[in-house]
Amino acid sequence: MPRTDTDAPAPGTPQWWTSRPVRPDRPGRGRPPRSFERIVDAASALVDEVGTGAFSMRLLADRLGTGTATLYRHFASREEIMVFVVDRLFAGIAATTAEHRPSTWQDAARDMSLRFRDVLARHPHVVPLLVSQVPIGPGGLAVRERIVAALVGFGFSPHLAARAYTTIAHYVIGFAVQQQAPDTPGPEEAAALGAYFRTLDPGAYPFTVAAADALTTMSSEDEFAEGLQFILDGIDGARGRHGRNAGHGGPGGPGGPGGPPSA
């Protein structure tokens, strides 16, 4: 049975992560061991298959060939498992970016954004979980630390780097939410919408009529890339207003690893 503690912090919150004990991986009596990592891996695969709404501890136990009691030795609830499903996803992103050596801050930000988007596209059922929780587990912290450190290494102040990361992350998640919605318009719906725009009264909606194709014919990949570039251009403008020298912030230069701190 799930453990019920009305005073326990909500799963995924800072208080929950701080209070979470280290869980030894011990086999239960009469059953083979089910490692913590194996349970999270199986839970992630199950979420990919059935979504978070249909996910249950019973389904997960059946997938692992064990009983729910084994799961409750590791997790107090399905909500706790969802926290680790999200963190596993971010740990995967962190692992893929470990060897990337960006030549510019925009390269660093764009690479992280595209990797994040690709992961969410492969795991669409995880996207709703990112709306309900801020990823602050080890995987989430690793991704956040890596991109903020990269931006600081290219001359950003820590404050501006943090705001840039948050803005980009919100854009990627928001785009994924829209793309993964069950009623997201496809090419046929987009074509019909463009045709509708062109039938509007040009006297009342001259710019909508003129821009009908631009509003409806761009692929989701191009739309994402263009929107991301708009954000990067805006961040570059904010960086200029903060008095950062765009030409002197790479690794080894002012503000870069191994170089003197930037002003």
Side-chain angles (χ1 to χ4, degrees), residues 9 17-18 20 31 56-57 101 111 122 168 172 181 193 203 212 218:
W17 279 108
T18 300
R20 183 168 175 78
R31 293 187 182 274
S56 70
M57 298 294 265
R101 296 292 181 267
D111 179 77
R122 293 196 302 272
I168 294 170
V172 177
L193 183 59
M218 184 174 288

Side-chain angles (χ1 to χ4, degrees), residues 69-82:
T70 300
L71 303 181
Y72 286 121
R73 293 191 187 104
H74 291 284
F75 307 93
S77 64
R78 76 183 290 279
E79 288 73 25
E80 283 197 359
I81 293 182
M82 294 300 101

Side-chain angles (χ1 to χ4, degrees), residues 24-25 52 69 88 119 125 137 142 156 172 210 217 221 223 226 228 251 254:
D25 187 21
T52 57
R88 179 183 180 277
V119 166
H125 288 149
F156 282 63
V172 177
T217 60
E221 290 79 10
E223 183 182 354
E226 186 171 75
L228 177 60

Side-chain angles (χ1 to χ4, degrees), residues 13-36:
T13 61
Q15 296 84 356
W16 181 82
W17 279 108
T18 300
S19 63
R20 183 168 175 78
V22 175
R23 295 178 178 270
D25 187 21
R26 294 195 299 264
R29 290 182 298 175
R31 293 187 182 274
R34 294 291 181 268
S35 73
F36 183 88

Side-chain angles (χ1 to χ4, degrees), residues 132-157:
S132 60
Q133 62 175 274
V134 177
I136 55 172
L141 290 175
V143 171
R144 186 179 290 101
E145 178 70 15
R146 188 157 293 153
I147 189 61
V148 171
L151 294 177
V152 170
F154 282 105
F156 282 63
S157 68

Side-chain angles (χ1 to χ4, degrees), residues 214-261:
L215 289 168
T216 59
T217 60
M218 184 174 288
S219 69
S220 62
E221 290 79 10
D222 289 343
E223 183 182 354
F224 178 84
E226 186 171 75
L228 177 60
Q229 190 59 54
F230 287 156
I231 291 174
L232 298 181
D233 290 344
I235 292 171
D236 203 36
R239 187 171 182 245
R241 291 192 297 275
H242 279 71
R244 297 298 170 187
N245 186 335
H248 300 283

